[in-house]
Amino acid sequence: MAQKIRPTKPLQGVNMKIQKIGIITSGGDCGGLNAVVKGTSQMATQKKIQTYAIPNGYAGLYNLLDTESLVELTPKRIDTFSIGLAGSEAGHSRVKISKIKNPKKYERIKEGLKKFGIDALVISGGDDTGSVVEDLDSHGIQCVHAPKTMDLDLMPYSVGGDSTINRIAFFVRELKTTGRTHNRVMIIEVFGRYAGHTAFRGGVAGEADCILIPEIPVDWDEVYRHLKKVYIKRICESDIRAGTYTIVVAEGLKNSSGEPIYDESAGVDTFGHKKLAGAGKFVAQEITKKLSADEDIKLFMEQTGMYVEDLYTIPEVRTITPSHLVRAGTTLAYDANFGMTAGANAVNLLLKGLSGVTVCGNSGKTVYYMETHEAIKQRHVDLDEVTLFEQLGFCFGRVRSSYEPECKKTYGPIERIY
């Protein structure tokens, strides 16, 4: 059961004389960011504070000193974009301030902020962004972190997660039409470097047959056993011999040895992380090898009228990588709501004199937050919950575990959805 997030320290009764706030969105784009921008601006307006978009993420912050002007997010300006749109009106970049070689980089940033009279920052991003929030705070720059990551691997809920999960589920469901038409095994590779929350939830919502996540090293024999059983059953029970099998795989997939699967040619990003690529292709290769070596499959293909010597000897295995389509386009209602409140409460925290903290949410008039170094700790998929879905027929690339739940009475809602 999710626990209610409590403040890590009491709100200070210090109303800082903040007149201007800069808004930064950083890292990858996703649903909910425009809601953060609007929530911040609208709350600031109510507090008689001006807000400005600092474009291009941390790169824009570093280059403020050379910037001629900033866009003020007046009520008229923020009315020009919708919280229902994914992406960010402020723009992004992947830049780690501490890696900039200029020894006077922090002085340069402070001078840039002073140039525009900006007193504090609201910064929305994930774990890498959060680490820079800590860095800026330690150098005397007041800032509050509004959590954002579609991977949902931060401690608090983060904007982008629900929108991405729904997009993944949509693509999984849609691809079943082409999979069933051609009797294909369909593999959908999605984001998820260290944690498989979106693959897990999106795969379940899209009723994928198999979901492979970084938390569970893959037992290929178990994946193939499940695939063979389900796929053959579907086609044999169909009056027109039609069926498909769907696998959702997170990009951070680990082989049976526990090693991540990298495409070394993809390189690294500016934070030093290897760019993940090739998990879906790798799964397709493993499945194809097993299908090709299985004499039962040849017999099955012959009995169902699919076998053509040298041309069509095993079911087709196709890999689809929707990539940025799962984080683009539309923000769904949960992220729109959370983003607005996260932005608004970031302003409230700044006005209480807080810095280097992450907004976690609110209950009524109580605003909850965490120290940012705590908020950006990795949160992984609960494998006990995976066990529940294994009982319902989903395969997670391992031998199914037993599920014996402990039942407890509750007197209120369980707050965490994801």
Side-chain angles (χ1 to χ4, degrees), residues 307-323:
Y307 186 85
V308 178
E309 188 175 356
D310 298 326
L311 293 177
Y312 191 24
T313 59
I314 62 171
E316 287 186 270
V317 182
R318 291 293 185 93
T319 300
I320 297 89
T321 306
S323 187

Side-chain angles (χ1 to χ4, degrees), residues 120-392:
L121 300 169
V122 171
I123 304 174
S124 190
D127 56 345
D128 289 329
T129 298
S131 69
V132 182
V133 168
E134 286 188 277
D135 185 29
L136 294 175
D137 174 61
S138 71
H139 284 86
I141 298 170
Q142 190 180 6
C143 47
V144 167
H145 177 226
K148 178 279 316 174
T149 173
M150 45 157 279
D151 288 335
L152 286 179
D153 56 350
L154 303 187
M155 293 303 291
Y157 179 80
S158 306
V159 290
D162 186 63
S163 299
T164 296
I165 286 166
N166 277 274
R167 298 278 283 184
I168 291 171
F170 171 78
F171 288 127
V172 172
R173 288 191 293 263
E174 294 287 286
L175 285 167
K176 286 182 181 181
T177 62
T178 191
R180 190 171 184 274
T181 298
H182 297 278
N183 290 351
R184 287 173 179 159
V185 175
M186 304 295 285
I187 299 166
I188 300 99
E189 179 187 329
V190 299
F191 292 108
R193 173 181 290 273
Y194 303 116
H197 296 285
T198 54
F200 172 31
R201 299 296 182 179
V204 167
E207 293 188 276
D209 299 298
C210 179
I211 303 166
L212 304 177
I213 58 178
E215 290 86 346
I216 302 175
V218 180
D219 180 338
W220 296 109
D221 289 337
E222 186 60 26
V223 171
Y224 185 68
R225 183 203 64 77
H226 188 267
L227 180 153
K228 181 178 176 180
K229 175 184 175 183
V230 172
Y231 178 78
I232 289 177
K233 180 176 183 291
R234 282 192 183 137
I235 290 179
C236 289
E237 290 179 351
S238 167
D239 58 357
I240 54 170
R241 297 291 186 261
T244 186
Y245 185 91
T246 308
I247 301 173
V248 173
V249 54
E251 62 182 350
L253 171 74
K254 290 185 175 66
N255 211 337
S256 55
S257 63
E259 292 296 316
I261 295 163
Y262 294 118
D263 180 350
E264 295 296 339
S265 65
V268 297
D269 64 21
T270 55
F271 279 82
H273 305 309
K274 287 186 177 181
K275 293 181 180 179
L276 299 180
K281 180 180 178 181
F282 187 85
V283 173
Q285 290 171 344
E286 292 297 310
I287 296 301
T288 300
K289 284 191 293 187
K290 289 188 175 295
L291 287 168
S292 300
D294 191 344
E295 287 297 321
D296 290 342
I297 293 300
K298 178 182 177 182
L299 180 61
F300 158 74
M301 295 285 285
E302 290 174 341
Q303 291 176 340
T304 52
M306 292 191 285
Y307 186 85
V308 178
E309 188 175 356
D310 298 326
L311 293 177
Y312 191 24
T313 59
I314 62 171
E316 287 186 270
V317 182
R318 291 293 185 93
T319 300
I320 297 89
T321 306
S323 187
H324 289 77
L325 287 171
V326 305
R327 67 197 311 162
T330 304
T331 293
L332 294 185
Y334 191 85
D335 281 331
N337 279 265
F338 184 84
M340 288 283 279
T341 59
N345 284 324
V347 174
N348 289 325
L349 292 174
L350 286 172
L351 290 175
K352 295 294 184 179
L354 291 165
S355 182
V357 298
T358 298
V359 182
C360 294
N362 67 283
S363 179
K365 292 184 178 180
T366 302
V367 178
Y368 294 100
Y369 67 94
M370 299 174 74
E371 301 286 352
T372 297
H373 67 85
E374 292 291 333
I376 62 176
K377 287 181 177 177
Q378 207 93 73
R379 182 174 69 88
H380 295 281
V381 171
D382 183 346
L383 297 187
D384 287 334
E385 193 163 3
V386 167
T387 304
L388 165 64
F389 285 96
E390 285 176 329
Q391 310 308 304
L392 305 181

Side-chain angles (χ1 to χ4, degrees), residues 59-124:
L61 180 64
Y62 178 70
N63 290 310
L64 263 184
L65 197 58
D66 300 325
T67 302
E68 291 186 6
S69 63
L70 291 178
V71 172
E72 182 180 355
L73 295 172
T74 62
K76 180 179 179 180
R77 178 63 179 83
I78 64 172
D79 196 44
T80 63
F81 63 92
S82 168
I83 65 173
L85 289 177
S88 170
E89 189 75 1
H92 284 239
S93 67
R94 291 188 181 275
V95 172
K96 190 169 186 176
I97 297 295
S98 64
K99 286 192 172 184
I100 297 173
K101 292 182 179 181
N102 182 355
K104 295 185 177 180
K105 51 184 170 286
Y106 298 104
E107 288 79 3
R108 175 181 168 84
I109 289 171
K110 288 177 182 178
E111 288 175 14
L113 292 170
K114 185 178 179 180
K115 173 182 175 179
F116 291 99
I118 293 173
D119 304 298
L121 300 169
V122 171
I123 304 174
S124 190

